[in-house]
Amino acid sequence: MAARGHVQDPNDRRLRPIYDYLDNGNNKMAIQQADKLLKKHKDLHCAKVLKAIGLQRTGKQDEAFTLAQEVSTLEPTDDNSLQALTILYREMHRPELVAKLYEAAVKKVPLSEEYHSHLFMAYARVGEYKKMQQAGMALYKIVPKNPYYFWSVMSLVMQAISAQDEKLAQTMFLPLAERMVEKMVKEEKIEAEAEVQLYFMILERLGKCVEALDVVRGPLGEKLTSELQSRENKCMMLYQRLQRWPECNALAHRLLLKNPDDWQFYPSYFDSLFHLMDQSWSPPEEGEHCSEGSVHHTVAEVVRFVEDRIKGEDGKESRSLRGPYLARLELMHRLRQRGCPEESQLGEPLELMVQFFAKFGDKPCCITDLKIYLHLLSRDQHVQFINRLSEAVLLAEQGDEGFAFPEDTKALQRHLCVCQLSRALGLHHSLDVDGKLRLITELKAHYRHGLKFGKNALKTELQFSDMYCLMAAHVYIDLWTETSDENMVWQALGVLQEGLSHSPSNAQFKLLLLLLYCRLGAFEPVVDLYSSLDAKHVQHDTIGFLLTRYAESLGQFAAASQSCNFSLRFFHSNQKDTSEYIIQAYKYGAFEKIPEFIALRNRLNHSLHFAQVRTERMLLDLFQEADILLSLEESVKAMSLCAEEDTIPWDNMRDNRDLTVFTSWDPQERQLTDEHRRLSLEEESVWLRLRSLTLRILTAVAGLGHTPSQQNSETTNENGVGDRTAVVSGLLSQLNQNLQTGTQIGERRLQYPFLGPPSTRLAPALSVGSCQCQAAALQLSVHLQELETVGLDESSELQTQICNTFKSLVVQLQEILNRCKGDLLEMNESKLKTQPSLLENLVFFVETACIVLWMASHCAKILRPLKASLQKKKKKKKKDASTAVPVVVCGFQELTGSLQDLLAQAVEHIRGQETGITALKLGSLSLEGYPEEEVSFMKAAMDKVQSSYLRSLQEVGDLLKKRVETVKNLKI
């Protein structure tokens, strides 16, 4: 705010100190200064607004809003007040009020270009496209500048994009936008590239590809200069849509002659060839083949063209380009797919790949280039291929360790590429245990030898040999999954920690460490690892799941809250940020980006991760606070939850997880498949439904959902309050249906690749009985509602049923607790063994116990008045009347006693685990046979796991102790 233009207004001088205080974050002084100024100048509206900004920033939102509304109702037109109110409303997340503000200002000052443009941008923030169109035209009438006219046109296009009815978009909005642009074309008023881009976008959305082609190839197309080959790319896209394969082929051929390394045109070139072959196309006898030039319509011509490009590269003295060599492999792959005999004209795939390696093996991209064509080799060629490549790697003589090392970074890169290709062909996986251990020794030796090439590297740079270290960790993981020998995972952690000490910025080391610690049940070291990744913007959605999946399930509730906040902060700011991007796109004429920004916002709003984090965060808050700091009712009210409303967009759910974030060289058969992705999404959705339904049922039980309006709710009684029993019953039946679906998914026992998506908590939750126990506890609410209606006198069967549920819940909780028994961390001589599933089961016990306790509390609230009214009735009857205590009251007293015993058992178990783990002297582990530097990194990893377990036990224990206190207060 400090950078304001020079204004010849004495008020500006008076307001300056308040602006400075606000800019420096000194909000209290800003409020004081504003108060002083207002005493002298009561009508200085801007001072009031600046005071409101100070109040807003010190958490006094209601006072701030009242002050702002005082000024707004006066409909100010001075620039200072309007700008200050805009800032305030933005901070309040009330952009719609900014629009009202400028609507009033425009009425009072109808010829102000500035206020009209501010009004347009205010509408843009709230997505009022029709009003934007009108505001744009009003602005153009006042100041006839092209950008304002095209703002109006773009707003029409946005109405078409956002229209629910596609027919309306195609018959009204887009044709109108087209006519508006055509008017400018006829009057020769088109000035900027952005205007041509918008015209092209409209024609493209109308499906008028021929007209769009005419625009691109005509004089208007000459304005398309901001991107390289913009016209050619657009022509290529339109030819493909129109299925004009001769033109597509000729254009690709012409562009590849100009730049044989431009990969984007090779696929178009090959696609068009096969389409021409399928159509049996032949060139005309006379004249040009097509408007773009000559066409290659036979495989022989295309093979010759590719071979000529390669000859051109071979004959160069400078470094060869990769494009033509990769094009040859791509053409071979496509010919083999179609079963074309001409494939043999290109040569033997093994020889071609060896040639490629000889030319480009010293480039890091060589592995990714060749990896996608390895399927061209037959299985019995794999070893021969690797041997041929190894011959092309220059290594020094063998050292003391029996390994020959490269003498420079180029040789190192070639050797590394051979190792990566060996793994991609499955040669590492086919080795026996001893073979894999020898391979690890070799990889570690190469890694440590390669460190000498990066002695002077900056901390932010990666070491040349980092990938050897990562590959060694991958082989350790193979051994761990195959043999279940936990020593392998400790060594993997050790080698990765060593790698990280030399390359502190290596994201792959951090990601793999993060995954391994989570698999071992240790969340504490993960928080720092994730923070050091410095995830930016959309990465909180694409990789945030790695963090949030494990935080709560491993008992680190404080860290879980922090992890959810990381992601939620991003999702909540996305809405505001996207509006700003859209406004900038309008200002600078980047019209084609506006639909992309809208699509990004929708994609993030419909994100699976967003829904998960929102739900888990609310459940987490309830587990930690409900009936401890606040009652369940107050907690639910504070979250503004509504049982009747399902806020998760199930039909439009987007899975934005990046499941390929880990570098992997696994062979095709071990990689993540589309089926894995589909099943993972299905599993995630079912688990989310269970958690969401649990949350909504708890909300309904707490009885503080929003009161539905008379028209909207079919289950309203005279008071307009929804029939909560019907709501709870409906939600419970959904919960039971989803439990059945979850059980079917659990029975599949699906195994994802180690570096693929993590499994949800669904299978262990069902296996341990947590979901079933929670559902049974929540089902109680319906029976208790019945009991409240019928009363204690005439409900003996119902009371017995409720008592049986009480007993069943205690038995189920005891079973869950029994599944937590065992040692989390065991040590014997040279081995340290973990059982992270015990920790996960303990968290299931805590969550389930919380839900049972809330239902017990709900039960107490219903039974107290019933018991009191029964006692009053008895007093009125004769003295010899039966004074037996109702069955349900006895059952409830037994339940609270049993719950106290169960929680005491759990607390005692945790205390025993803490004592046992603390007593472990990891320093005494005899890690003989390992180099000294490895031992120190392995022990550091073990210490982190030990420390994390203790932290988890402490947090779970603290929560259980608080719950013990709440049970004691459960009296009728």
Side-chain angles (χ1 to χ4, degrees):
M1 275 190 286
R4 297 167 56 78
H6 180 66
V7 182
Q8 299 292 339
D9 184 353
N11 284 339
D12 200 48
R13 181 174 43 77
R14 292 174 187 136
L15 294 168
R16 170 64 51 202
I18 311 177
Y19 282 118
D20 291 341
Y21 284 131
L22 287 172
D23 283 345
N24 297 327
N26 197 342
N27 299 312
K28 286 186 179 175
M29 282 303 294
I31 295 167
Q32 285 175 23
Q33 191 70 30
D35 283 334
K36 276 184 196 173
L37 195 53
L38 285 166
K39 279 179 186 173
K40 292 180 186 175
H41 306 275
K42 288 181 182 175
D43 297 330
L44 192 50
H45 305 319
C46 187
K48 268 190 187 179
V49 183
L50 294 177
K51 180 184 174 182
I53 291 174
L55 290 167
Q56 166 73 16
R57 291 177 184 177
T58 49
K60 296 174 182 173
Q61 283 90 347
D62 294 341
E63 287 179 55
F65 187 67
T66 308
L67 262 183
Q69 289 306 92
E70 279 179 31
V71 179
S72 289
T73 49
L74 299 170
E75 298 183 351
T77 54
D78 65 294
D79 199 31
N80 285 338
S81 300
L82 288 170
Q83 284 194 20
L85 277 167
T86 302
I87 290 165
L88 176 62
Y89 287 145
R90 261 195 244 166
E91 289 184 12
M92 287 179 164
H93 305 295
R94 298 289 302 274
E96 71 282 0
L97 296 177
V98 180
K100 286 183 181 173
L101 200 63
Y102 279 103
E103 280 170 5
V106 161
K107 278 179 190 169
K108 287 190 174 180
V109 191
L111 297 177
S112 168
E113 180 183 0
E114 186 185 355
Y115 290 173
H116 271 283
S117 63
H118 279 308
L119 177 61
F120 180 88
M121 295 309 174
Y123 287 144
R125 279 197 181 88
V126 289
E128 290 270 15
Y129 302 123
K130 185 166 180 55
K131 288 183 178 177
M132 286 164 70
Q133 179 201 342
Q134 292 162 350
M137 282 314 290
L139 193 50
Y140 182 68
K141 283 171 186 170
I142 299 165
V143 188
K145 292 179 184 174
N146 268 24
Y148 298 150
Y149 185 86
F150 283 93
W151 284 5
S152 185
V153 176
M154 185 63 210
S155 303
L156 263 173
V157 175
M158 289 312 298
Q159 285 179 70
I161 291 170
S162 59
Q164 300 292 319
D165 185 357
E166 181 62 26
K167 192 178 175 187
L168 192 66
Q170 291 293 323
T171 57
M172 188 171 96
F173 296 128
L174 289 171
L176 178 55
E178 184 190 9
R179 285 199 298 276
M180 284 178 75
V181 182
E182 279 174 354
K183 178 176 178 285
M184 297 296 269
V185 173
K186 282 172 188 168
E187 293 172 9
E188 296 185 356
K189 287 185 180 176
I190 299 283
E191 294 169 358
E193 179 182 0
E195 294 156 17
V196 181
Q197 291 274 23
L198 181 53
Y199 190 22
F200 178 81
M201 192 200 305
I202 294 164
L203 292 171
E204 193 188 352
R205 285 182 179 276
L206 279 167
K208 295 187 173 183
C209 294
V210 177
E211 291 86 340
L213 198 57
D214 292 340
V215 169
V216 176
R217 295 179 65 182
L220 286 177
E222 290 170 14
K223 293 185 186 294
L224 300 171
T225 55
S226 64
E227 291 177 29
L228 278 174
Q229 296 178 325
S230 176
R231 292 176 84 178
E232 288 85 350
N233 286 328
K234 283 181 166 54
C235 283
M236 184 69 79
M237 181 189 74
L238 292 167
Y239 287 144
Q240 286 170 339
R241 283 202 184 174
L242 291 165
Q243 298 190 353
R244 290 191 186 174
W245 303 117
E247 283 87 348
C248 190
N249 182 286
L251 178 59
H253 160 230
R254 181 157 54 80
L255 291 167
L256 287 169
L257 276 173
K258 198 187 295 182
N259 180 4
D261 204 38
D262 198 337
W263 182 258
Q264 63 176 327
F265 296 119
Y266 279 111
S268 307
Y269 182 49
F270 297 147
D271 286 340
S272 59
L273 162 72
F274 296 125
H275 281 295
L276 291 169
M277 285 169 63
D278 293 340
Q279 293 170 3
S280 307
W281 184 89
S282 57
E285 290 177 12
E286 291 180 12
E288 284 282 315
H289 288 186
C290 70
S291 58
E292 291 288 354
S294 62
V295 179
H296 291 168
H297 66 288
T298 64
V299 173
E301 284 176 301
V302 172
V303 169
R304 195 180 319 120
F305 176 78
V306 173
E307 293 289 0
D308 287 347
R309 302 289 71 70
I310 289 170
K311 279 176 191 166
E313 293 304 312
D314 286 342
K316 276 165 55 175
E317 289 183 13
S318 57
R319 181 116 198 197
S320 301
L321 301 170
R322 289 156 46 229
Y325 299 91
L326 281 173
R328 182 165 58 181
L329 290 168
E330 176 65 19
L331 182 57
M332 181 176 276
H333 155 67
R334 289 180 181 228
L335 289 169
R336 184 173 291 189
Q337 263 187 331
R338 288 174 64 90
C340 294
E342 292 94 337
E343 179 201 333
S344 57
Q345 294 175 20
L346 289 162
E348 179 59 39
L350 188 144
E351 293 299 330
L352 298 183
M353 287 197 229
V354 170
Q355 282 175 32
F356 188 89
F357 179 80
K359 277 191 172 293
F360 308 108
D362 55 359
K363 287 189 170 191
C365 58
C366 185
I367 172 65
T368 46
D369 287 345
L370 288 181
K371 193 177 166 189
I372 50 177
Y373 298 114
L374 290 176
H375 65 278
L376 295 173
L377 300 172
S378 62
R379 196 165 282 279
D380 54 358
Q381 285 182 310
H382 290 180
V383 176
Q384 182 194 351
F385 175 59
I386 294 301
N387 290 340
R388 288 283 303 279
L389 296 188
S390 300
E391 289 167 14
V393 180
L394 295 172
L395 299 175
E397 290 183 17
Q398 286 191 0
D400 301 337
E401 297 178 48
F403 303 121
F405 297 115
E407 291 186 319
D408 58 29
T409 53
K410 287 193 172 184
L412 181 147
Q413 192 57 55
R414 283 180 180 280
H415 182 264
L416 179 58
C417 187
V418 175
C419 294
Q420 290 167 326
L421 287 166
S422 301
R423 187 162 177 82
L425 287 167
L427 300 183
H428 288 183
H429 302 85
S430 59
L431 295 169
D432 59 11
V433 173
D434 290 338
K436 282 179 179 153
L437 289 170
R438 278 196 301 277
L439 172 64
I440 288 169
T441 308
E442 183 181 350
L443 289 170
K444 288 195 291 193
H446 273 277
Y447 167 64
R448 287 172 187 140
H449 172 266
L451 291 175
K452 73 177 186 182
F453 299 121
K455 274 181 184 171
N456 301 321
L458 300 172
K459 278 189 175 181
T460 50
E461 293 177 331
L462 306 186
Q463 291 288 338
F464 290 101
S465 58
D466 274 355
M467 287 304 180
Y468 287 119
C469 180
L470 190 64
M471 205 180 299
H474 281 198
V475 184
Y476 273 131
I477 291 167
D478 293 343
L479 285 167
W480 181 36
T481 48
E482 287 165 25
T483 64
S484 303
D485 179 357
E486 219 159 293
N487 254 4
M488 297 303 163
V489 77
W490 296 120
Q491 289 180 72
L493 285 169
V495 79
L496 287 168
Q497 290 283 12
E498 181 184 349
L500 200 56
S501 70
H502 295 295
S503 266
S505 297
N506 192 312
Q508 286 300 323
F509 289 167
K510 291 174 187 177
L511 286 166
L512 195 50
L513 277 167
L514 187 149
L515 182 64
L516 290 175
Y517 279 126
C518 285
R519 291 290 179 99
L520 289 173
F523 194 76
E524 195 175 46
V526 167
V527 180
D528 290 337
L529 282 167
Y530 188 82
S531 298
S532 69
L533 278 170
D534 198 18
K536 293 280 193 295
H537 200 258
V538 80
Q539 287 175 316
H540 287 300
D541 189 19
T542 56
I543 62 171
F545 72 95
L546 293 170
L547 196 64
T548 52
R549 157 63 184 89
Y550 294 101
E552 185 185 345
S553 64
L554 298 177
Q556 304 244 339
F557 303 124
S561 292
Q562 190 187 347
S563 308
C564 291
N565 286 343
F566 271 148
S567 294
L568 285 174
R569 209 172 295 130
F570 158 66
F571 284 115
H572 289 145
S573 67
N574 155 53
Q575 198 75 19
K576 188 176 72 174
D577 292 348
T578 311
S579 299
E580 295 310 312
Y581 304 151
I582 291 166
I583 285 168
Q584 294 306 313
Y586 270 108
K587 277 184 183 173
Y588 297 106
F591 296 124
E592 73 278 10
K593 295 295 170 199
I594 294 170
E596 291 177 26
F597 289 140
I598 302 283
L600 174 68
R601 178 166 67 193
N602 293 339
R603 184 170 180 165
L604 292 172
N605 286 341
H606 297 154
S607 163
L608 165 74
H609 183 58
F610 183 26
Q612 287 172 325
V613 172
R614 222 169 41 214
T615 307
E616 291 298 337
R617 176 64 214 263
M618 289 191 275
L619 280 170
L620 193 59
D621 285 349
L622 291 182
F623 292 136
Q624 287 182 280
E625 294 169 9
D627 284 352
I628 295 174
L629 298 175
L630 301 166
S631 67
L632 179 64
E633 289 84 348
E634 288 168 325
S635 299
V636 167
K637 188 177 181 181
M639 292 175 185
S640 307
L641 282 170
C642 173
E644 291 92 336
E645 290 174 21
D646 189 356
T647 54
I648 297 172
W650 296 106
D651 296 336
N652 301 315
M653 187 77 81
R654 294 296 297 263
D655 183 4
N656 298 331
R657 295 174 299 166
D658 181 358
L659 300 179
T660 55
V661 68
F662 293 97
T663 295
S664 168
W665 305 280
D666 287 342
Q668 193 66 41
E669 64 273 11
R670 287 175 175 257
Q671 284 178 9
L672 190 71
T673 61
D674 289 339
E675 182 66 2
H676 283 136
R677 288 171 188 274
R678 188 186 66 75
L679 293 170
S680 171
L681 178 58
E682 186 186 350
E683 188 186 336
E684 294 282 357
S685 299
V686 170
W687 177 245
L688 176 58
R689 275 185 195 273
L690 289 174
R691 300 292 275 181
S692 171
L693 285 166
T694 303
L695 184 62
R696 288 170 65 200
I697 294 168
L698 287 170
T699 304
V701 169
L704 285 167
H706 295 297
T707 304
S709 66
Q710 210 88 30
Q711 296 92 332
N712 294 347
S713 177
E714 295 170 2
T715 58
T716 50
N717 56 26
E718 300 106 38
N719 303 323
V721 177
D723 181 0
R724 285 199 295 276
T725 315
V727 172
V728 173
S729 300
L731 292 173
L732 280 165
S733 82
Q734 285 183 52
L735 184 70
N736 290 323
Q737 282 172 4
N738 276 285
L739 272 175
Q740 288 174 4
T741 312
T743 307
Q744 290 165 5
I745 289 174
E747 284 166 2
R748 291 179 195 155
R749 302 195 177 282
L750 185 72
Q751 283 292 311
Y752 302 111
F754 189 88
L755 298 176
S759 296
T760 65
R761 299 171 68 197
L762 180 64
L766 289 166
S767 157
V768 85
S770 168
C771 287
Q772 297 88 325
C773 185
Q774 288 179 22
L778 294 167
Q779 192 76 44
L780 257 180
S781 59
V782 177
H783 301 317
L784 291 168
Q785 210 71 36
E786 269 182 70
L787 185 68
E788 191 176 26
T789 311
V790 178
L792 292 176
D793 292 343
E794 300 165 11
S795 58
S796 57
E797 276 186 38
L798 185 59
Q799 288 185 48
T800 309
Q801 190 181 352
I802 291 170
C803 287
N804 289 340
T805 306
F806 287 162
K807 287 171 187 168
S808 165
L809 289 175
V810 172
V811 170
Q812 288 179 69
L813 273 173
Q814 183 67 62
E815 282 175 8
I816 298 172
L817 185 57
N818 292 342
R819 297 284 291 272
C820 306
K821 301 288 170 70
D823 290 326
L824 257 178
L825 202 59
E826 289 178 275
M827 187 175 94
N828 57 16
E829 292 179 13
S830 64
K831 292 208 172 181
L832 188 66
K833 185 156 177 58
T834 62
Q835 288 196 74
S837 60
L838 298 178
L839 188 55
E840 201 160 348
N841 291 350
L842 191 57
V843 174
F844 283 133
F845 173 79
V846 173
E847 290 184 358
T848 311
C850 285
I851 289 173
V852 172
L853 284 170
W854 291 328
M855 295 317 298
S857 172
H858 178 62
C859 184
K861 281 172 195 158
I862 286 173
L863 289 179
R864 271 186 214 117
L866 290 176
K867 187 184 173 190
S869 69
L870 188 69
Q871 283 171 339
K872 280 180 189 173
K873 283 180 190 173
K874 282 181 180 172
K875 281 179 186 174
K876 288 177 185 174
K877 288 183 182 178
K878 293 176 184 176
K879 286 179 184 177
D880 62 339
S882 167
T883 56
V885 179
V887 175
V888 73
V889 175
C890 296
F892 181 77
Q893 286 163 347
E894 280 176 35
L895 172 70
T896 52
S898 301
L899 287 175
Q900 246 176 301
D901 290 346
L902 272 170
L903 293 180
Q905 273 183 57
V907 170
E908 193 53 44
H909 165 67
I910 289 170
R911 198 175 290 132
Q913 282 296 301
E914 284 178 322
T915 309
I917 292 173
T918 310
L920 290 178
K921 298 284 182 274
L922 298 186
S924 63
L925 268 175
S926 57
L927 297 172
E928 292 169 9
Y930 302 112
E932 203 173 311
E933 66 270 21
E934 274 187 50
V935 169
S936 65
F937 286 115
M938 284 169 69
K939 286 199 171 171
M942 290 172 176
D943 287 339
K944 285 178 181 177
V945 171
Q946 182 187 30
S947 164
S948 180
Y949 281 178
L950 287 170
R951 173 80 170 270
S952 296
L953 290 168
Q954 183 192 343
E955 288 202 32
V956 173
D958 287 349
L959 184 53
L960 280 174
K961 284 170 195 167
K962 289 173 187 170
R963 291 290 169 202
V964 169
E965 294 305 311
T966 59
V967 183
K968 288 176 184 172
N969 300 329
L970 278 181
K971 294 186 177 73
I972 301 174

